[in-house]
Amino acid sequence: PLLPSVLVSVCCCLFILFLFLSELTGFIATEIVNELYVDDPDKDSGGKIEVNLNISLPNLHCELVGLDIQDEMGRHEVGHIDNSMKIPLNNGDGCRFEGHFSINKVPGNFHVSTHSATAQPQNPDMTHIIHKLSFGDKLQVHNVHGAFNALEGADKLSSNPLASHDYILKIVPTVYEDMSGKQRYSYQYTVANKEYVAYSHTGRIIPAIWFRYDLSPITVKYTERRQPLYRFITSICAIIGGTFTVAGILDSCIFTASEAWKKIQLGKMQ
């Protein structure tokens, strides 16, 4: 019977086309595979981590704002100014601090304060908004969702102006390897925070914004992968072969049923 055979052939062709397009989409698309291991991935960094900080203090003059860096290797730097910029806000009453600096791969802290100012103000206002705090290379990959800028948008404008702010960070090394084998090194982090009023030994309140950090020994690695060509070809061959095999069986069944029906009809006529 011609019509059933044509229908089976058309259905098979459409089915093959559908599966072929599905396999082609999977072959073209890349997948991101992640793994965990214990290591320092960026051994060529010299034991340093690059930090990008962007923070606004709308009620503190720029001449009072400074960045201090301390760590367990003995580093104690007050008023770090390299690769930093202060932008006046609110007609000079506030300040936006942008800094790019490096820290050692040991526990420590960096903090925004008035410690480096020539004369300490009476009531420094540490209310702030954090626009950006990131570590290492910038990663913009759609399939990777991580806490690379976990403090973005942190708003403390309604806090006690004289309160100090502690952000406790757990930094996790992250490696991203693309299809070409090129690796980029970034860092994710988790954060906890608290507010408190701190007094100096003279009894004055000297608030600050502290970022205390520690490094995790666990590294997260993301690797771009694509389905191998041989697997794609194997899948296509299996689709075509399997479809035509099933089509042959269906066509044979239809033909057999049709012949049997004809014989039944002829038997009734006789």
Side-chain angles (χ1 to χ4, degrees), residues 151-243:
L151 277 172
E152 180 181 15
D155 187 335
K156 299 296 181 181
L157 295 181
S158 60
S159 299
N160 179 355
L162 295 177
S164 288
H165 301 264
D166 254 10
Y167 295 99
I168 297 96
L169 314 177
K170 195 71 173 182
I171 302 175
V172 182
T174 304
V175 183
Y176 185 86
E177 183 176 317
D178 60 22
M179 292 292 296
S180 65
K182 181 183 177 182
Q183 292 186 339
R184 282 179 286 170
Y185 303 98
S186 187
Y187 297 84
Q188 302 182 60
Y189 62 92
T190 59
V191 59
N193 69 286
K194 64 178 180 178
E195 298 178 23
Y196 58 94
V197 176
Y199 295 86
S200 69
H201 62 279
T202 60
R204 292 182 58 190
I205 300 176
I206 306 180
I209 305 168
W210 298 80
F211 301 92
R212 306 181 194 273
Y213 61 87
D214 193 5
L215 272 78
S216 168
I218 302 295
T219 293
V220 179
K221 183 178 182 181
Y222 298 99
T223 307
E224 271 189 358
R225 290 182 185 172
R226 182 173 289 160
Q227 180 181 328
L229 180 60
Y230 72 85
R231 189 176 297 173
F232 173 69
I233 294 173
T234 302
S235 299
I236 296 303
C237 291
I239 288 170
I240 296 172
T243 303

Side-chain angles (χ1 to χ4, degrees), residues 51 53 66-78 80 101-113 115 133 135 165-169 171 196 208-215:
V51 183
L53 176 63
L67 177 71
D68 312 324
I69 306 173
Q70 299 172 282
D71 64 35
E72 291 187 357
M73 291 183 70
R75 181 181 184 182
H76 190 177
E77 189 174 346
V78 178
H80 180 90
F101 55 96
S102 62
I103 56 175
N104 295 315
K105 291 183 178 180
V106 295
N109 74 79
F110 50 92
H111 52 277
V112 177
S113 67
H115 297 167
L133 176 61
F135 301 86
H165 301 264
D166 254 10
Y167 295 99
I168 297 96
L169 314 177
I171 302 175
Y196 58 94
I209 305 168
W210 298 80
F211 301 92
R212 306 181 194 273
Y213 61 87
D214 193 5
L215 272 78

Side-chain angles (χ1 to χ4, degrees), residues 90-101:
N90 301 334
N91 297 319
D93 292 333
C95 187
R96 180 169 179 144
F97 178 84
E98 299 179 12
H100 179 79
F101 55 96

Side-chain angles (χ1 to χ4, degrees), residues 9-141:
S9 299
V10 171
C11 290
C12 287
C13 290
L14 292 175
F15 186 64
I16 289 173
L17 180 62
F18 170 72
L19 292 180
F20 172 78
L21 292 176
S22 299
E23 286 293 325
L24 183 62
T25 303
F27 174 70
I28 294 173
T30 57
E31 62 174 344
I32 306 296
V33 179
N34 63 74
E35 58 181 307
L36 303 176
Y37 59 92
V38 178
D39 193 15
D40 177 11
D42 190 10
K43 296 182 176 63
D44 297 328
S45 65
K48 303 286 186 180
I49 300 175
E50 297 299 319
V51 183
N52 291 286
L53 176 63
N54 189 328
I55 185 172
S56 290
L57 299 95
N59 301 306
L60 195 65
H61 293 277
C62 278
E63 63 267 19
L64 300 174
V65 176
L67 177 71
D68 312 324
I69 306 173
Q70 299 172 282
D71 64 35
E72 291 187 357
M73 291 183 70
R75 181 181 184 182
H76 190 177
E77 189 174 346
V78 178
H80 180 90
I81 58 173
D82 294 339
N83 299 316
S84 63
M85 180 169 56
K86 300 177 185 179
I87 304 169
L89 300 175
N90 301 334
N91 297 319
D93 292 333
C95 187
R96 180 169 179 144
F97 178 84
E98 299 179 12
H100 179 79
F101 55 96
S102 62
I103 56 175
N104 295 315
K105 291 183 178 180
V106 295
N109 74 79
F110 50 92
H111 52 277
V112 177
S113 67
T114 62
H115 297 167
S116 60
T118 305
Q120 291 297 315
Q122 280 297 113
N123 297 303
D125 188 332
M126 281 294 165
T127 54
H128 62 276
I129 299 176
I130 300 173
H131 306 289
K132 181 179 183 180
L133 176 61
S134 63
F135 301 86
D137 294 341
K138 185 177 181 180
L139 288 182
Q140 284 187 325
V141 183

